[in-house]
Amino acid sequence: MTPLPAAPATVPVRGGAGRVPFGFHPVPPAATMNDRLSSRARAIRRSEVRDLLRHAGRPGMVSLAGGLPAAELFDVEGVRAAALAALDDAPAAALQYGMTEGQPALREAIAARLQARSIAATPQALVVTTGSQQGLDLVARALLDEGDVVVVERPSYLAALQAFGLAGPAWRSIGVDGDGGRVEDLDAACAGVRPKLVYVVPNFANPTGACMSLERRRALVRWAAAHRVVVLEDDPYGELRTRGTPLPSLAAIAAEVPGASEWIGHASTLSKTVAPGLRVGWLLLPAWLREAVVLLKQACDLHTSSFAQEVASRYLASGRLEARLDLVRTEYARRRDALAGALDEGFGARLEVRVPDGGMFLWARFTDRTDARALLPLALERGTMFVPGDAFFVDATGTADAAVRASLRLNFSAATPDRLREGVRRLVDAHRTLRGRTAVAAR
Amino acid sequence: MTPLPAAPATVPVRGGAGRVPFGFHPVPPAATMNDRLSSRARAIRRSEVRDLLRHAGRPGMVSLAGGLPAAELFDVEGVRAAALAALDDAPAAALQYGMTEGQPALREAIAARLQARSIAATPQALVVTTGSQQGLDLVARALLDEGDVVVVERPSYLAALQAFGLAGPAWRSIGVDGDGGRVEDLDAACAGVRPKLVYVVPNFANPTGACMSLERRRALVRWAAAHRVVVLEDDPYGELRTRGTPLPSLAAIAAEVPGASEWIGHASTLSKTVAPGLRVGWLLLPAWLREAVVLLKQACDLHTSSFAQEVASRYLASGRLEARLDLVRTEYARRRDALAGALDEGFGARLEVRVPDGGMFLWARFTDRTDARALLPLALERGTMFVPGDAFFVDATGTADAAVRASLRLNFSAATPDRLREGVRRLVDAHRTLRGRTAVAAR
């Protein structure tokens, strides 16, 4: 055997069975193995939300931390009927390999839903993905080399930061206010660079719940066309509006702005409307980007579960979704109002709450400068949990800024009004304890 | 608006709606957009097999090209019962978000199956993937930076080359003979470098159908431990053995070689045993690598369809798979023999055929130096298709070597014996026509 020069080799191996031509480095195995990982694997950022969720299963826990839709509102009967229809009518379509782009019937059903929202989507322009999360990863892989510039909202969806972060990009960001991402700040954010990707969640953003105003949407689409920069619109929550008038999607506005359709991508999912367990999402992309994404997806997982896709397309064809969405929206509004009411009652002016018109999250900020990270362990002890706001910031602006450190994201979709109120009671108790300690420390 | 300096800007935009601060490059859009893609997206290699499969749907086509299992042998009734059980017993588990690592019940069922094959697998050591293809992509992303060395068999599984190729690795390869990959050539192949990854398909390899001998398996596991190099064993076909004695998996042998379990990864799937449409595969990995893979998977798609996983675990629990596999093996043996017999009858000594003991593919080589790529269009005209052998080579050894150019892969799982014989008749006709032309040209 020829020794491999790059291998660490100084001490003899113990108890080697078989022929072992050279020895090994005396450093601890973990350190040795770490150098075997790719640079992106070594740099990857854990999702704090998913780590937190390990606590969510504790008996009695009221989790305001996750982003789970209400399981008790899933249309199990409808999905059951769709599964039977898929296996009875065309078992080979459900069980055999399929096209990387997605099952034709599902792409047609999704295109029809998008068209109903004034988005000029054809089935051919869609790629079915394993949840919208895979859409984010595929777009990132198609566009980004290390050091390329990505613009996100500040704060932004954590798992998007994770997916884009794998490329090792240079981050830029725009702030968010009550009218969504501050599109007017894009030029300042991009001074001196041309981004590869701008990522926004215009409807009921995670974590802020904010909706981007129509004026900003139009400005963003014009900006994308003018600068020839891909803007990816992630829209998981658009169908969860509980009040007010729906605003057109960037993908709809793009049809009115010459050249814009080459630069606007749209990602969404059935996770918040039908069921996340299906893992069925989609990308609507201009042809030049879609081709790259399809080739990448082929190498990533060949295609998304045909079984899940056939069940999803039959569920959409059943016409049951609209009534179900009405139910979900009504219940989520009730839960949002219960949470907002309890927060107001429990905290009063000490907590500023932004109550959204839809989606699944409330964004709140302590006006008494309570540090959300310091509050979290006390909340966990008392059986409730939330995500500290600074987790959603891509850069140090999060941890450095006291206003950010005082913010938190609260989910209202996964618990009943009574449980939400109980969670807030525990949170109020945790806050009181923390303030007491702080007051003592300050003496 | 501040102009973004990296944007190509020379001619004014036509018909711009809204404020357009600077013009655009006069090159065709496709070329402009190409520079927006990542280097890996620009370099990606299309799967020739999947491109070929576009022809597979033509009326009357007898495809020997794909790698599809026989859809008529899917246990539709069993999957149907499993789907109902999943939705009736625990709908939230099937429809809600799940753990990135995979559904607990499925990991237990897979671990039990692996243990029955003497692989010391625990549920905790498994990661459920969206088909084994995603396992290959995740391992590649966890290990490979650009320029890292990957060793593959020559020829090798095309979609593995695609997945690893996304990292832009330096390829090395070992040849394959009747006893599988030539492990004894590893040191020569790796002269001067320490690979990050060695990839093998020890059972009924795609495309050659070859099985790696026990001696080589042991040598490979010792080599991995000695050199501290990850060896990924991909085993989609191991349960499709139709004759002879099963050989232990590398993952089983690793338990007997000190240190080896840190370096042997094992990937497999339900695609060839239950149904590919579920897209349920798995990785069995040492902890240091598994942790990186789980974090990557979280960013890639959060998790594999919980619905498909719950259906799969209930199907495995039903105990129906063994009887079904007996049926599949019997039928695949019949099809393999039908194809081998027809080839022998049609081509005689002009085609050397390697008849495997299982799996889904025959590997063959024309002894009259027929060029398989030249034959393919004539075969397509006559209503049959195959994959030219040189498609499976990672480097130019494929296209440069006349013996490789004379080789082809033939699938026998997807067509009935009668259809296989008809396919061979068409292939013989195509071959006769090509040889006639060649003879004329040679005059």
Side-chain angles (χ1 to χ4, degrees):
Chain A
M1 271 195 194
T2 314
L4 307 182
T10 50
V11 296
V13 68
R14 338 153 255 155
R19 199 157 58 104
V20 178
F22 61 90
F24 298 102
H25 208 275
V27 298
T32 309
M33 284 147 189
N34 197 48
D35 83 336
R36 303 270 77 197
L37 294 174
S38 63
S39 50
R40 92 194 107 212
R42 270 174 274 153
I44 191 170
R45 190 177 156 165
R46 298 185 69 89
S47 160
E48 305 196 44
V49 179
R50 288 187 76 87
D51 285 348
L52 254 181
L53 289 177
R54 292 173 199 276
H55 297 285
R58 259 174 42 194
M61 174 67 72
V62 180
S63 176
L64 311 173
L68 303 185
E72 65 275 23
L73 297 179
F74 292 153
D75 184 3
V76 179
E77 197 187 318
V79 174
R80 190 181 194 277
L84 291 181
L87 289 169
D88 291 344
D89 300 349
L95 298 178
Q96 188 55 287
Y97 283 111
M99 294 170 68
T100 300
E101 292 85 345
Q103 297 294 97
L106 178 61
R107 294 161 80 199
E108 278 170 32
I110 294 168
R113 284 192 75 76
L114 294 174
Q115 285 158 16
R117 294 172 59 200
S118 307
I119 299 172
T122 61
Q124 293 71 36
L126 289 164
V127 182
V128 176
T129 55
T130 306
S132 58
Q133 183 69 29
Q134 192 190 33
L136 307 185
D137 182 51
L138 290 172
V139 167
R141 292 179 86 174
L143 294 178
L144 304 179
D145 286 319
E146 194 174 342
D148 280 346
V149 174
V150 176
V151 184
V152 295
E153 291 165 305
R154 192 176 66 235
S156 186
Y157 172 47
L158 197 51
L161 303 182
Q162 254 192 315
F164 304 152
L166 291 180
W171 297 104
R172 302 287 170 110
S173 61
I174 54 172
V176 173
D177 61 26
D179 286 329
R182 293 178 52 85
V183 172
E184 57 272 35
D185 293 347
L186 261 177
D187 284 312
C190 300
V193 295
R194 182 176 174 215
K196 273 280 188 79
L197 175 64
V198 175
Y199 171 78
V200 293
V201 183
N203 291 321
F204 318 119
N206 176 354
T208 62
C211 253
M212 189 181 282
S213 68
L214 178 57
E215 189 176 32
R216 282 185 177 161
R217 290 174 193 231
R218 287 189 175 136
L220 180 54
V221 171
R222 286 195 302 263
W223 187 92
H227 292 286
R228 303 170 77 83
V229 167
V230 174
V231 173
L232 181 62
E233 163 183 57
D234 188 7
D235 187 27
Y237 311 110
E239 306 215 55
L240 297 184
R241 176 177 285 276
T242 57
R243 61 188 180 199
T245 314
L247 292 169
S249 136
L250 302 187
I253 295 170
E256 301 156 14
V257 177
S261 55
E262 292 294 329
W263 302 101
I264 303 294
H266 179 90
S268 191
T269 177
L270 297 182
S271 293
K272 310 302 192 287
T273 52
V274 182
L278 294 175
R279 306 306 299 125
V280 170
W282 60 89
L283 287 169
L284 174 68
L285 296 176
W288 66 274
L289 181 53
R290 189 174 67 246
E291 280 162 26
V293 159
V294 169
L295 288 176
L296 284 163
K297 182 167 167 66
Q298 189 177 300
C300 289
D301 64 3
L302 300 184
H303 60 85
T304 293
S305 170
S306 356
F307 183 49
Q309 289 185 66
E310 289 294 316
V311 173
S313 72
R314 276 173 174 77
Y315 182 77
L316 293 178
S318 74
R320 294 174 66 109
L321 181 57
E322 291 318 313
R324 178 61 46 158
L325 276 176
D326 282 343
L327 201 78
V328 168
R329 284 187 283 250
T330 304
E331 180 59 20
Y332 284 8
R334 208 165 73 90
R335 293 181 180 193
R336 174 200 60 205
D337 294 343
L339 177 61
L343 290 170
D344 187 44
E345 196 180 311
F347 289 106
R350 283 166 303 164
L351 190 71
E352 237 176 47
V353 177
R354 190 183 279 160
V355 183
D357 296 337
M360 306 187 351
F361 303 105
L362 278 187
W363 182 247
R365 189 173 63 81
F366 288 106
T367 54
D368 59 7
R369 302 194 147 232
T370 296
D371 184 315
R373 280 198 186 262
L375 182 64
L376 184 57
L378 297 172
L380 283 169
E381 276 172 30
R382 284 157 184 78
T384 194
M385 53 200 280
F386 58 85
V387 184
D390 65 0
F392 302 96
F393 286 75
V394 76
D395 52 26
T397 56
T399 44
D401 184 338
V404 167
R405 292 180 60 88
S407 66
L408 65 168
R409 187 193 78 176
L410 299 164
N411 168 265
F412 55 78
S413 58
T416 59
D418 278 352
R419 299 285 292 159
L420 290 167
R421 282 186 281 264
E422 175 58 26
V424 172
R425 270 191 291 274
R426 296 174 186 179
L427 197 60
V428 167
D429 184 42
H431 178 261
R432 188 177 306 124
T433 305
L434 179 67
R435 296 309 294 174
R437 281 188 198 165
T438 313
V440 171
R443 259 181 232 160
Chain B
M1 269 193 192
T2 315
L4 307 182
T10 49
V11 296
V13 69
R14 342 153 253 157
R19 198 157 58 103
V20 177
F22 60 90
F24 299 103
H25 207 277
V27 297
T32 310
M33 285 147 188
N34 197 47
D35 85 333
R36 302 271 78 197
L37 294 174
S38 63
S39 49
R40 93 196 106 209
R42 270 174 275 153
I44 191 169
R45 189 177 157 166
R46 297 184 70 89
S47 161
E48 304 195 44
V49 178
R50 287 185 77 87
D51 285 348
L52 254 180
L53 290 177
R54 291 171 199 278
H55 297 284
R58 259 173 42 194
M61 175 67 73
V62 180
S63 175
L64 311 173
L68 303 184
E72 65 275 23
L73 299 179
F74 292 153
D75 184 3
V76 179
E77 197 188 317
V79 173
R80 190 181 194 277
L84 291 181
L87 289 169
D88 291 344
D89 301 349
L95 298 179
Q96 187 56 286
Y97 284 112
M99 296 169 67
T100 300
E101 293 84 345
Q103 297 294 96
L106 178 61
R107 293 161 80 199
E108 278 169 32
I110 293 168
R113 284 192 73 76
L114 293 175
Q115 286 158 15
R117 293 172 58 198
S118 306
I119 299 172
T122 61
Q124 293 71 36
L126 289 164
V127 183
V128 176
T129 55
T130 307
S132 57
Q133 183 68 30
Q134 192 191 32
L136 307 185
D137 181 51
L138 290 172
V139 167
R141 292 179 87 174
L143 294 178
L144 303 180
D145 285 319
E146 194 174 342
D148 281 346
V149 174
V150 175
V151 185
V152 296
E153 291 165 305
R154 193 175 65 234
S156 187
Y157 173 47
L158 198 51
L161 302 182
Q162 255 191 314
F164 305 151
L166 290 180
W171 296 106
R172 302 288 169 110
S173 61
I174 54 172
V176 173
D177 60 25
D179 286 329
R182 294 178 51 85
V183 172
E184 58 272 36
D185 293 348
L186 262 177
D187 285 311
C190 300
V193 295
R194 182 176 174 212
K196 272 280 187 79
L197 175 64
V198 176
Y199 170 77
V200 292
V201 183
N203 291 322
F204 319 118
N206 177 353
T208 61
C211 253
M212 190 182 280
S213 68
L214 178 57
E215 189 176 31
R216 282 184 177 162
R217 288 174 194 232
R218 288 188 175 137
L220 180 53
V221 171
R222 287 195 302 261
W223 187 93
H227 292 285
R228 302 170 79 81
V229 166
V230 174
V231 172
L232 181 62
E233 163 183 56
D234 188 7
D235 187 27
Y237 311 109
E239 305 216 54
L240 297 184
R241 175 177 285 277
T242 56
R243 62 188 180 199
T245 314
L247 292 169
S249 137
L250 301 187
I253 296 170
E256 301 156 14
V257 176
S261 55
E262 293 294 329
W263 302 102
I264 303 296
H266 179 89
S268 190
T269 177
L270 297 181
S271 293
K272 310 304 193 285
T273 52
V274 183
L278 293 174
R279 307 307 299 126
V280 170
W282 60 88
L283 287 169
L284 174 68
L285 296 176
W288 65 273
L289 181 53
R290 189 174 65 246
E291 279 163 27
V293 159
V294 169
L295 288 176
L296 284 164
K297 182 167 167 65
Q298 191 177 299
C300 288
D301 64 3
L302 300 183
H303 60 84
T304 293
S305 170
S306 358
F307 183 48
Q309 289 186 65
E310 290 294 316
V311 173
S313 72
R314 276 173 175 75
Y315 182 76
L316 293 178
S318 74
R320 295 175 65 109
L321 181 56
E322 291 317 313
R324 178 60 48 160
L325 276 176
D326 282 342
L327 201 78
V328 169
R329 283 187 284 249
T330 303
E331 179 59 20
Y332 284 9
R334 207 164 76 90
R335 293 181 180 193
R336 174 199 60 205
D337 294 343
L339 177 61
L343 291 169
D344 186 44
E345 195 179 313
F347 289 106
R350 283 166 303 165
L351 190 72
E352 236 175 48
V353 177
R354 190 183 279 161
V355 183
D357 295 337
M360 305 187 352
F361 303 106
L362 279 186
W363 182 248
R365 189 173 64 82
F366 287 105
T367 54
D368 59 7
R369 299 193 150 235
T370 296
D371 184 314
R373 280 196 187 263
L375 183 64
L376 184 58
L378 297 173
L380 283 169
E381 276 172 30
R382 283 157 185 78
T384 193
M385 53 199 280
F386 57 85
V387 184
D390 66 359
F392 302 96
F393 285 75
V394 75
D395 52 25
T397 56
T399 44
D401 184 337
V404 168
R405 291 179 61 88
S407 65
L408 64 169
R409 188 193 77 176
L410 299 165
N411 168 264
F412 55 79
S413 58
T416 60
D418 278 351
R419 298 287 291 160
L420 290 167
R421 281 186 281 264
E422 176 57 27
V424 172
R425 270 191 292 274
R426 295 173 188 181
L427 197 61
V428 167
D429 184 42
H431 178 261
R432 188 178 305 123
T433 304
L434 180 67
R435 297 308 296 175
R437 282 187 196 165
T438 313
V440 170
R443 260 182 229 160

